[in-house]
Amino acid sequence: MRFGLEGRSVLVMAGSQGIGLATARGFHALGARVCIAARGAAALDAAVSAMPGATAIQGDVTDRGDIARIIETAGPVDVLVNNAGGPRAGRFEDVADKEWTAAVELTLMSAIRATRAVLPHMRAQRWGRIVNISSYGVKQPVPDLTLSNSIRMAVLGWAKTLADQVGPDNVTVNTICPGWTRTARVTSLLDNQARDSGVAADELARGLVAQIPLRRLGEPEEIANLAVFLGSEAASYITGTAIQVDGGIVKGYA
């Protein structure tokens, strides 16, 4: 299989830990020129120290000025991985207007702004890859993740529409829908649920794993494997898709 990533410029948003970091490492291993962006300077430094030649840019994906600076500093981008932490869990009646607005900025507008900035180069060279990291909640809503389930559906609709518009320029747009994965985000969700329910986080984790046909959490590298594939030449005829990597937890076929 030919990945064709040698020398390609890859920008991974929120790439200093978890799925973002695993994705950056995957592209780096195949010879891509990797740049990662994230808020924490220490985490960025630690991430790039293990990837010789990789670069890091500090910035917040919810800040439009930071996104513009990140894209300008990174230079022409061939592969963009849109990634960000998820909005907080909560039932509908517990979510205030300002949290809806913040979730839109974090989950939807971060991807739109970064993509808008990199598309002119991709279209001009008639080659590009947009890969969005989302959640299996777009296929099967996750209980009490009101903000995530809602706003990530907007990302899906935008990505599907964009795929049609940029396809003639040989730019693909795909979305990955991870299931429960061993990340800081999942640990935080379990800890918060444990605090609210009075049930130990370990017990909640065991109950969660019991719902997954493969009976385990996913690893960040397992999500990254698909991200690297979709960002490569090998996936040249795949666009407009939303593919779950979830251990089988989604019960539907779509």
Side-chain angles (χ1 to χ4, degrees), residues 43-64:
L44 280 170
D45 290 344
V48 296
S49 68
M51 291 184 287
T55 57
I57 306 171
Q58 190 174 4
D60 187 339
V61 298
T62 66
D63 186 307
R64 70 180 66 200

Side-chain angles (χ1 to χ4, degrees), residues 76-193:
V77 173
D78 301 319
V79 180
L80 171 66
V81 179
N82 284 314
N83 182 42
R88 81 165 181 90
R91 296 177 63 81
F92 172 70
E93 60 268 25
D94 299 325
V95 180
D97 280 5
K98 64 181 180 180
E99 292 177 296
W100 282 100
T101 301
V104 169
E105 290 291 317
L106 173 67
T107 303
L108 176 63
M109 294 309 300
S110 64
I112 287 175
R113 289 171 180 143
T115 301
R116 183 188 291 136
V118 302
L119 268 180
H121 165 70
M122 293 182 179
R123 299 183 92 159
Q125 71 173 1
R126 295 188 56 78
W127 197 99
R129 301 283 186 267
I130 307 294
V131 180
N132 306 307
I133 307 297
S134 184
S135 164
Y136 83 90
V138 302
K139 301 291 188 80
Q140 177 176 292
V142 184
D144 294 338
L145 292 192
T146 304
L147 291 169
S148 179
N149 292 338
S150 304
I151 308 304
R152 291 191 194 279
M153 287 298 293
V155 175
L156 205 60
W158 159 73
K160 186 69 171 176
T161 305
L162 181 64
D164 183 62
Q165 295 172 2
V166 300
D169 294 314
N170 196 36
V171 176
T172 67
V173 185
N174 292 290
T175 302
I176 299 175
C177 310
W180 294 99
T181 308
R182 201 181 307 279
T183 63
R185 160 79 168 168
V186 168
T187 299
S188 175
L189 287 172
L190 289 172
D191 286 345
N192 290 339
Q193 188 178 347

Side-chain angles (χ1 to χ4, degrees), residues 2 5 19 24-25 28-29 38 65 109 125 146 159 166 183 192 196-197 201 211 229 232-233 237:
R2 179 178 176 273
L5 287 166
I19 292 170
R25 287 172 172 168
H28 183 267
M109 294 309 300
Q125 71 173 1
T146 304
V166 300
T183 63
N192 290 339
D196 295 340
S197 67
Q211 301 174 43
F229 172 71
S232 76
E233 189 63 43
Y237 202 55

